[in-house]
Amino acid sequence: MQTKSIRLFLLLMLFGASTLVKAQSGNKMSISIGPDVGTPFNTEHTYQVHTRDIYQDGLGGNIRAELPVTAALHLTASVGYVVYHSNVKYFYLTPWQGTINSSSAPAGPPPYKYIPLKAGLRYYYSKYLYVGAEAGDAVKVQNQAVSSFIYSGGVGAAIPFGIHHGLDIGLRYESGYKNIDSDFKMAQLGIGFAYKYTF
């Protein structure tokens, strides 16, 4: 799955690059980089396990390329790194063992670490405001995490403060992250702040 995801990611980048070459004047490629925060919430839980029992808020960052198809419609491709710390009030248990809510627990499981690889579309319905959707793979970094299909959708604003420079602020719903301790998909609300450079 990881190999297929990386190939898909590269193919989309190549497709976007070819589109860029054909784009009209005024349609410019951009690169953005910045931090990202995710707040997990309960969804599709099993074994009486709740998302907030397992995941604390996630912290990470990503790099995103935007390649214009038209002036309003852009192809996006992103790669990131995200860490979700475990809830230290719960022991490290397998799903069928349930959870033990104990404030005396010495530690929780290690944090869950992923490299999300996603591609998608972004549509600018006004000069600075957009809606977007992406899908791809969350590639595990260590054994406690599980590689899985992820998808997201959201809204945002790209605010320029110069010819080449800008601030990209986005809010999104995202789902699909998994780990070895719970057999359900984690959903989250994410917010990202990025410096955006337009070529």
Side-chain angles (χ1 to χ4, degrees):
M1 178 179 289
Q2 294 183 26
T3 302
K4 291 181 179 179
S5 299
I6 294 172
R7 288 177 180 174
L8 175 61
F9 185 79
L10 293 174
L11 285 173
L12 287 171
M13 287 290 289
L14 290 172
F15 172 76
S18 65
T19 303
L20 179 64
V21 173
K22 300 176 183 178
Q24 297 178 357
S25 177
N27 294 341
K28 299 177 181 179
M29 176 183 175
S30 64
I31 297 289
S32 59
I33 181 171
D36 198 85
V37 177
T39 300
F41 59 88
N42 192 52
T43 181
E44 297 187 18
H45 60 85
T46 56
Y47 309 109
Q48 304 302 315
V49 178
H50 296 266
T51 302
R52 297 301 294 185
D53 292 345
I54 301 169
Y55 295 97
Q56 295 183 28
D57 291 344
L59 182 63
N62 69 78
I63 301 174
R64 175 174 287 104
E66 282 188 53
L67 305 167
V69 178
T70 69
L73 184 64
H74 291 194
L75 181 71
T76 64
S78 65
V79 59
Y81 179 80
V82 62
V83 177
Y84 296 93
H85 287 281
S86 308
N87 193 326
V88 297
K89 293 183 179 180
Y90 287 76
F91 282 114
Y92 185 63
L93 301 174
T94 53
W96 56 86
Q97 291 175 303
T99 59
I100 298 176
N101 189 354
S102 172
S103 59
S104 63
Y112 307 112
K113 302 176 183 180
Y114 307 88
I115 296 176
L117 295 171
K118 296 188 293 182
L121 293 172
R122 179 176 287 190
Y123 178 74
Y124 287 85
Y125 59 90
S126 75
K127 189 173 182 179
Y128 304 128
L129 304 178
Y130 63 81
V131 295
E134 291 184 317
D137 268 0
V139 180
K140 70 176 184 178
V141 176
Q142 29 74 291
N143 291 333
Q144 285 73 31
V146 174
S147 296
S148 58
F149 174 75
I150 56 175
Y151 57 91
S152 63
V155 298
I159 307 167
F161 53 84
I163 298 176
H164 297 287
H165 312 284
L167 176 66
D168 193 330
I169 304 173
L171 178 68
R172 74 186 186 283
Y173 167 84
E174 189 167 32
S175 182
Y177 289 95
K178 292 185 177 182
N179 66 70
I180 65 171
D181 302 304
S182 54
D183 188 23
F184 66 91
K185 295 184 296 183
M186 182 268 284
Q188 67 173 346
L189 289 177
I191 184 168
F193 300 89
Y195 164 74
K196 186 174 183 177
Y197 183 84
T198 302
F199 293 90

PDB file of all heavy atoms in Angstrom, residues 130-145:
ATOM      1  N   TYR A 130     -11.318  29.642  -0.336  1.00  0.00           N
ATOM      2  CA  TYR A 130     -11.349  28.390  -1.085  1.00  0.00           C
ATOM      3  C   TYR A 130     -12.027  27.271  -0.301  1.00  0.00           C
ATOM      4  O   TYR A 130     -12.175  27.331   0.935  1.00  0.00           O
ATOM      5  CB  TYR A 130      -9.931  27.958  -1.471  1.00  0.00           C
ATOM      6  CG  TYR A 130      -9.016  27.661  -0.295  1.00  0.00           C
ATOM      7  CD1 TYR A 130      -9.063  26.426   0.364  1.00  0.00           C
ATOM      8  CD2 TYR A 130      -8.090  28.602   0.159  1.00  0.00           C
ATOM      9  CE1 TYR A 130      -8.229  26.148   1.428  1.00  0.00           C
ATOM     10  CE2 TYR A 130      -7.251  28.333   1.225  1.00  0.00           C
ATOM     11  CZ  TYR A 130      -7.323  27.106   1.854  1.00  0.00           C
ATOM     12  OH  TYR A 130      -6.500  26.826   2.921  1.00  0.00           O
ATOM     13  N   VAL A 131     -12.421  26.228  -1.027  1.00  0.00           N
ATOM     14  CA  VAL A 131     -12.820  24.938  -0.448  1.00  0.00           C
ATOM     15  C   VAL A 131     -11.891  23.902  -1.070  1.00  0.00           C
ATOM     16  O   VAL A 131     -11.400  24.083  -2.195  1.00  0.00           O
ATOM     17  CB  VAL A 131     -14.297  24.600  -0.730  1.00  0.00           C
ATOM     18  CG1 VAL A 131     -15.215  25.589  -0.032  1.00  0.00           C
ATOM     19  CG2 VAL A 131     -14.572  24.573  -2.233  1.00  0.00           C
ATOM     20  N   GLY A 132     -11.654  22.821  -0.346  1.00  0.00           N
ATOM     21  CA  GLY A 132     -10.735  21.822  -0.868  1.00  0.00           C
ATOM     22  C   GLY A 132     -10.999  20.443  -0.306  1.00  0.00           C
ATOM     23  O   GLY A 132     -11.665  20.284   0.723  1.00  0.00           O
ATOM     24  N   ALA A 133     -10.488  19.441  -0.991  1.00  0.00           N
ATOM     25  CA  ALA A 133     -10.599  18.053  -0.539  1.00  0.00           C
ATOM     26  C   ALA A 133      -9.344  17.312  -0.964  1.00  0.00           C
ATOM     27  O   ALA A 133      -8.797  17.557  -2.050  1.00  0.00           O
ATOM     28  CB  ALA A 133     -11.834  17.384  -1.127  1.00  0.00           C
ATOM     29  N   GLU A 134      -8.876  16.409  -0.097  1.00  0.00           N
ATOM     30  CA  GLU A 134      -7.690  15.610  -0.382  1.00  0.00           C
ATOM     31  C   GLU A 134      -7.892  14.183   0.123  1.00  0.00           C
ATOM     32  O   GLU A 134      -8.711  13.934   1.013  1.00  0.00           O
ATOM     33  CB  GLU A 134      -6.450  16.206   0.289  1.00  0.00           C
ATOM     34  CG  GLU A 134      -5.985  17.524  -0.293  1.00  0.00           C
ATOM     35  CD  GLU A 134      -4.696  18.011   0.343  1.00  0.00           C
ATOM     36  OE1 GLU A 134      -4.567  17.929   1.575  1.00  0.00           O
ATOM     37  OE2 GLU A 134      -3.819  18.462  -0.405  1.00  0.00           O
ATOM     38  N   ALA A 135      -7.124  13.263  -0.439  1.00  0.00           N
ATOM     39  CA  ALA A 135      -7.142  11.876   0.014  1.00  0.00           C
ATOM     40  C   ALA A 135      -5.761  11.268  -0.221  1.00  0.00           C
ATOM     41  O   ALA A 135      -5.002  11.746  -1.069  1.00  0.00           O
ATOM     42  CB  ALA A 135      -8.210  11.068  -0.716  1.00  0.00           C
ATOM     43  N   GLY A 136      -5.453  10.230   0.530  1.00  0.00           N
ATOM     44  CA  GLY A 136      -4.156   9.582   0.368  1.00  0.00           C
ATOM     45  C   GLY A 136      -3.916   8.556   1.450  1.00  0.00           C
ATOM     46  O   GLY A 136      -4.854   7.931   1.954  1.00  0.00           O
ATOM     47  N   ASP A 137      -2.674   8.415   1.873  1.00  0.00           N
ATOM     48  CA  ASP A 137      -2.284   7.431   2.878  1.00  0.00           C
ATOM     49  C   ASP A 137      -1.590   8.107   4.049  1.00  0.00           C
ATOM     50  O   ASP A 137      -0.799   9.034   3.863  1.00  0.00           O
ATOM     51  CB  ASP A 137      -1.331   6.401   2.281  1.00  0.00           C
ATOM     52  CG  ASP A 137      -2.052   5.183   1.736  1.00  0.00           C
ATOM     53  OD1 ASP A 137      -3.294   5.156   1.831  1.00  0.00           O
ATOM     54  OD2 ASP A 137      -1.390   4.281   1.218  1.00  0.00           O
ATOM     55  N   ALA A 138      -1.889   7.604   5.263  1.00  0.00           N
ATOM     56  CA  ALA A 138      -1.099   7.941   6.441  1.00  0.00           C
ATOM     57  C   ALA A 138      -0.104   6.802   6.628  1.00  0.00           C
ATOM     58  O   ALA A 138      -0.488   5.694   7.002  1.00  0.00           O
ATOM     59  CB  ALA A 138      -1.996   8.089   7.659  1.00  0.00           C
ATOM     60  N   VAL A 139       1.146   7.047   6.346  1.00  0.00           N
ATOM     61  CA  VAL A 139       2.182   6.018   6.427  1.00  0.00           C
ATOM     62  C   VAL A 139       2.741   5.991   7.850  1.00  0.00           C
ATOM     63  O   VAL A 139       3.177   7.020   8.374  1.00  0.00           O
ATOM     64  CB  VAL A 139       3.313   6.296   5.422  1.00  0.00           C
ATOM     65  CG1 VAL A 139       4.386   5.213   5.511  1.00  0.00           C
ATOM     66  CG2 VAL A 139       2.757   6.395   4.007  1.00  0.00           C
ATOM     67  N   LYS A 140       2.711   4.833   8.472  1.00  0.00           N
ATOM     68  CA  LYS A 140       3.175   4.726   9.863  1.00  0.00           C
ATOM     69  C   LYS A 140       4.675   4.961   9.948  1.00  0.00           C
ATOM     70  O   LYS A 140       5.430   4.601   9.049  1.00  0.00           O
ATOM     71  CB  LYS A 140       2.811   3.366  10.443  1.00  0.00           C
ATOM     72  CG  LYS A 140       3.586   2.194   9.848  1.00  0.00           C
ATOM     73  CD  LYS A 140       3.223   0.892  10.548  1.00  0.00           C
ATOM     74  CE  LYS A 140       4.065  -0.270  10.034  1.00  0.00           C
ATOM     75  NZ  LYS A 140       3.749  -1.533  10.730  1.00  0.00           N
ATOM     76  N   VAL A 141       5.092   5.572  11.072  1.00  0.00           N
ATOM     77  CA  VAL A 141       6.504   5.806  11.311  1.00  0.00           C
ATOM     78  C   VAL A 141       7.049   4.795  12.312  1.00  0.00           C
ATOM     79  O   VAL A 141       8.218   4.436  12.255  1.00  0.00           O
ATOM     80  CB  VAL A 141       6.739   7.247  11.821  1.00  0.00           C
ATOM     81  CG1 VAL A 141       8.203   7.488  12.166  1.00  0.00           C
ATOM     82  CG2 VAL A 141       6.285   8.248  10.760  1.00  0.00           C
ATOM     83  N   GLN A 142       6.187   4.315  13.245  1.00  0.00           N
ATOM     84  CA  GLN A 142       6.614   3.280  14.188  1.00  0.00           C
ATOM     85  C   GLN A 142       5.507   2.242  14.332  1.00  0.00           C
ATOM     86  O   GLN A 142       4.420   2.385  13.772  1.00  0.00           O
ATOM     87  CB  GLN A 142       7.034   3.858  15.549  1.00  0.00           C
ATOM     88  CG  GLN A 142       6.359   5.153  15.982  1.00  0.00           C
ATOM     89  CD  GLN A 142       4.929   5.026  16.429  1.00  0.00           C
ATOM     90  OE1 GLN A 142       4.074   4.758  15.608  1.00  0.00           O
ATOM     91  NE2 GLN A 142       4.676   5.252  17.702  1.00  0.00           N
ATOM     92  N   ASN A 143       5.792   1.169  15.054  1.00  0.00           N
ATOM     93  CA  ASN A 143       4.911   0.002  15.078  1.00  0.00           C
ATOM     94  C   ASN A 143       3.569   0.247  15.749  1.00  0.00           C
ATOM     95  O   ASN A 143       2.609  -0.477  15.498  1.00  0.00           O
ATOM     96  CB  ASN A 143       5.616  -1.176  15.771  1.00  0.00           C
ATOM     97  CG  ASN A 143       6.764  -1.722  14.947  1.00  0.00           C
ATOM     98  OD1 ASN A 143       6.767  -1.623  13.725  1.00  0.00           O
ATOM     99  ND2 ASN A 143       7.756  -2.294  15.613  1.00  0.00           N
ATOM    100  N   GLN A 144       3.466   1.229  16.644  1.00  0.00           N
ATOM    101  CA  GLN A 144       2.190   1.487  17.309  1.00  0.00           C
ATOM    102  C   GLN A 144       1.156   2.085  16.361  1.00  0.00           C
ATOM    103  O   GLN A 144      -0.040   1.977  16.588  1.00  0.00           O
ATOM    104  CB  GLN A 144       2.389   2.428  18.510  1.00  0.00           C
ATOM    105  CG  GLN A 144       3.026   1.773  19.725  1.00  0.00           C
ATOM    106  CD  GLN A 144       4.503   1.506  19.506  1.00  0.00           C
ATOM    107  OE1 GLN A 144       5.168   2.244  18.778  1.00  0.00           O
ATOM    108  NE2 GLN A 144       5.018   0.460  20.125  1.00  0.00           N
ATOM    109  N   ALA A 145       1.614   2.734  15.307  1.00  0.00           N
ATOM    110  CA  ALA A 145       0.717   3.305  14.302  1.00  0.00           C
ATOM    111  C   ALA A 145       0.409   2.260  13.235  1.00  0.00           C
ATOM    112  O   ALA A 145       1.111   1.253  13.106  1.00  0.00           O
ATOM    113  CB  ALA A 145       1.349   4.542  13.670  1.00  0.00           C
TER     114      ALA A 145
END
